[in-house]
Amino acid sequence: MTLEWSRSALPADLDAAVLAGRVSVRGDVVPVIVRGGVVHSAFEAAATTADLFDLDDPASAAGAAICDVDDLGAEGSGADFELRSPLDLQCVKAAGVTFAVSAIERVIEERARGDSGAAAAIRGELEAKVGGGIRSVVPGSKEAARLKAALIDAGLWSQYLEVAIGPDAEVFTKAPILSTIGWGGDIGIRSDSSWNNPEPEVVVIVDSRGRPVGATLGNDVNLRDFEGRSALLLGKAKDNNASCSLGPFVRLFGHGFGMDDVRAAELDLVIEGTDGYRLDGHSSMRQISRDPEELVRQTLSEHQYPDGFALFLGTLFAPVQDRDEPGRGFTHKVGDVVTIRSDALGTLANTVVTSKDAAPWTYGVRALMRDLAARRAPVLA
């Protein structure tokens, strides 16, 4: 399903925002800067967004005007100016279990062994026994250590609680470079998954020097049945064809927007199915248990990222509303439209397909290198 683009998908204060991303200009994908509703090429100053985010002032890279934002089309729409994911060469990392609700849901998956039908009873028991404690402690603190000891004594300890309240955050690799999906593209769930959900998140963009330079929206598509059967299946639960979307653009820090706005971000989620089903959800960054800058620091710990990285910060959203059968909770169906909205960052919208049916990922690093070598600048006229 091709979604219809409009400028309403951009930040509410578009005139004040400075945005960066990628647009396919009649087949040539170029980095762009968006100011005042006009899309400008940044290719003359930066061949990739990894290069763009490394500039001391990425906003200064705005060159020739390409089009108005109203002229943009969804990824895969065939429009002259197609939106693409704002990432290219950056590693795509994700922090997990950064909210108390998500910690409890991961423990539920583990105890239910991936069976959605067993989740409701386990949820009530765990919420009563550990919910308040998880919400009230600072991860890695002495109080958290005492809570851990008490939970072990009660036989309630879990590897997910370790990363929820212990000193070390869970940080994993979500997707290969150049594989992410942009606004309007199809997002994939494995065809053999029967319990899955979107994860609406704020994503911080970090340059090669370890500096957070902006933020965007992301959908960290998750397969609850796979991860619930074993945490060692995390890679299969998280990294599949078309299973990671970002966009529509990165909002650059500075220009009246910064990390405090990330900390205060409120995200709304709507899932609309072809069967008439609708789910409304919300995630508030104010309830995150680890500060975004601490998550960036832990991602950088004893690791370098010469092309920078994007870091999903985690989600408060936990879909427990029944869809088909009482007690089985939510799972996606093909054709679902997932819309994530934040006034400061805009709207990310995608349609759910199976990973088998999503467009295959064929454009890799070698293809990018060939394209860059073949042209000095895109044809804009």
Side-chain angles (χ1 to χ4, degrees), residues 108-134:
I108 290 167
E109 291 166 12
E110 180 183 48
R111 289 179 174 250
R113 299 293 188 266
D115 177 8
S116 61
I122 298 171
R123 181 176 295 110
E125 177 188 7
L126 282 173
E127 180 63 38
K129 292 182 177 178
V130 306
I134 290 175

Side-chain angles (χ1 to χ4, degrees), residues 87-93 173 175-177 305 307-311:
L87 300 187
D88 40 48
L89 293 176
Q90 299 88 348
C91 290
V92 186
K93 310 292 286 189
T173 299
I177 61 175
Y305 295 90
D307 299 307
F309 64 91
L311 179 62

Side-chain angles (χ1 to χ4, degrees), residues 1 271-277 323 333-337 351-352:
M1 175 180 177
I271 303 171
E272 297 173 291
T274 59
D275 56 354
Y277 177 87
R323 182 165 197 172
K333 292 186 179 182
V334 169
D336 285 351
V337 174
T351 303
V352 173

Side-chain angles (χ1 to χ4, degrees), residues 186-256:
D186 290 338
I187 52 171
I189 54 172
R190 286 183 62 95
S191 58
D192 52 356
S193 171
S194 61
W195 190 20
N196 47 69
N197 62 266
E199 292 191 352
E201 304 189 23
V202 175
V203 184
V204 171
I205 309 302
V206 181
D207 71 8
S208 66
R209 289 170 280 185
R211 303 178 307 170
V213 297
T216 189
L217 295 172
N219 186 349
D220 177 17
V221 179
N222 182 50
L223 308 183
R224 303 189 69 181
D225 45 2
F226 277 75
E227 187 177 356
R229 283 192 282 123
S230 171
L232 296 180
L233 292 173
L234 177 66
K236 187 168 282 189
K238 290 290 189 179
D239 181 10
N240 298 288
N241 184 40
S243 65
C244 179
S245 66
L246 298 103
F249 292 98
V250 171
R251 183 162 185 173
L252 296 173
F253 287 162
H255 317 282

Side-chain angles (χ1 to χ4, degrees), residues 59-146:
S60 68
I66 295 175
C67 64
D68 189 86
V69 293
D70 293 319
D71 300 322
L72 296 172
E75 178 170 342
S77 65
D80 283 346
F81 309 106
E82 279 189 15
L83 280 162
R84 296 295 175 89
S85 163
L87 300 187
D88 40 48
L89 293 176
Q90 299 88 348
C91 290
V92 186
K93 310 292 286 189
V97 201
T98 55
F99 290 79
V101 168
S102 63
I104 292 171
E105 288 301 313
R106 293 298 172 266
V107 177
I108 290 167
E109 291 166 12
E110 180 183 48
R111 289 179 174 250
R113 299 293 188 266
D115 177 8
S116 61
I122 298 171
R123 181 176 295 110
E125 177 188 7
L126 282 173
E127 180 63 38
K129 292 182 177 178
V130 306
I134 290 175
R135 291 184 179 88
S136 64
V137 300
V138 176
S141 66
K142 292 180 179 178
E143 292 77 11
R146 287 196 289 268

